[in-house]
Amino acid sequence: MKTFLLSAIAALIWFSSPVAHAQTDDATAQKSTNARFPVYAEIGLGFGQTLFFGRMKEKLMQSYGGSFDPGTGNNLMMGFYIAPENWKGLGVGSRIKGTFGTSVEGTNGDSYIFNYYNLAVSAKYYGFSREFNKGFYGRASFGFGQFTTKRVNEAVNVYKHQYAIGTSAMVGIGYTLRFAKIAWSFEAEFDYSNRSGTIDGQGDTTFQSGQIGGNLILSF
């Protein structure tokens, strides 16, 4: 019993001390700070049609000795946005996206696979609701990344790769349905990339490509 009384007295002294109040105030302030600067994470899947611009096909033909039409691809993306309430629907963050193309047939009986990746700074704005992760939004992203084209002809044991790296610009429009702790977004997206690579006998050259497609995004 004596031990219990001593413990109770010690607890009362602790909770009434300035140190205890300071720690409680710090925790409250930290919680308030987190509320003012919420961070939203997202992950998504999508599908799109690859686009070639400029002399893209001609330059790939110089590299591979054959040509092919752009195919479709599956998208995988992840990102985060910081969106304080006083920004009125604006969120700023970062986003990484990879597109993994389906195999297409070339003019010489070869198979080609066209993949590309980018890491970007990104801004998303909910101009109608003025509340992040609710309703219609527009998005713009700018970053850098790489594409990889692989030529495969198993009949003659040909396996050749072409790489290029450069900048990407992306825009999208979408609509977000918000639930208790998560939100689903449906988004249409267009991207354009300008990347440089080296072709044997041609030196450095620029490849211009892009994609138009749609994404389904989960945010929390």
Side-chain angles (χ1 to χ4, degrees), residues 107-210:
T107 55
N108 296 330
D110 305 319
S111 296
Y112 295 86
I113 302 173
F114 191 80
N115 301 324
Y116 41 103
Y117 322 88
N118 62 68
L119 174 64
V121 293
S122 185
K124 187 184 288 188
Y125 181 53
Y126 290 80
F128 290 100
S129 68
R130 306 293 298 277
E131 188 174 348
F132 195 82
N133 248 13
K134 182 180 180 181
F136 288 100
Y137 68 87
R139 179 182 55 79
S141 307
F142 181 81
F144 69 95
Q146 170 187 300
F147 86 65
T148 304
T149 308
K150 182 170 69 173
R151 173 188 178 187
V152 179
N153 192 325
E154 295 182 352
V156 292
N157 291 322
V158 170
Y159 304 91
K160 191 173 182 179
H161 293 76
Q162 177 67 53
Y163 302 93
I165 190 167
T167 58
S168 298
M170 293 144 282
V171 293
I173 56 173
Y175 186 84
T176 300
L177 293 171
R178 188 168 66 186
F179 299 94
K181 294 183 178 181
I182 64 171
W184 287 100
S185 299
F186 307 90
E187 178 184 89
E189 180 184 37
F190 169 80
D191 74 52
Y192 170 82
S193 299
N194 191 10
R195 302 183 177 102
S196 295
T198 301
I199 297 178
D200 293 340
Q202 303 292 329
D204 291 337
T205 190
T206 299
F207 299 90
Q208 297 171 296
S209 65

Side-chain angles (χ1 to χ4, degrees), residues 28-58:
T28 302
Q30 181 64 40
K31 184 176 180 181
S32 177
T33 300
N34 290 339
R36 288 198 303 268
F37 295 96
V39 177
Y40 297 84
E42 67 178 25
I43 183 170
L45 297 172
F47 181 82
Q49 171 65 52
T50 299
L51 305 172
F52 288 169
F53 301 109
R55 298 172 53 239
M56 180 74 175
K57 287 184 66 175
E58 179 182 342

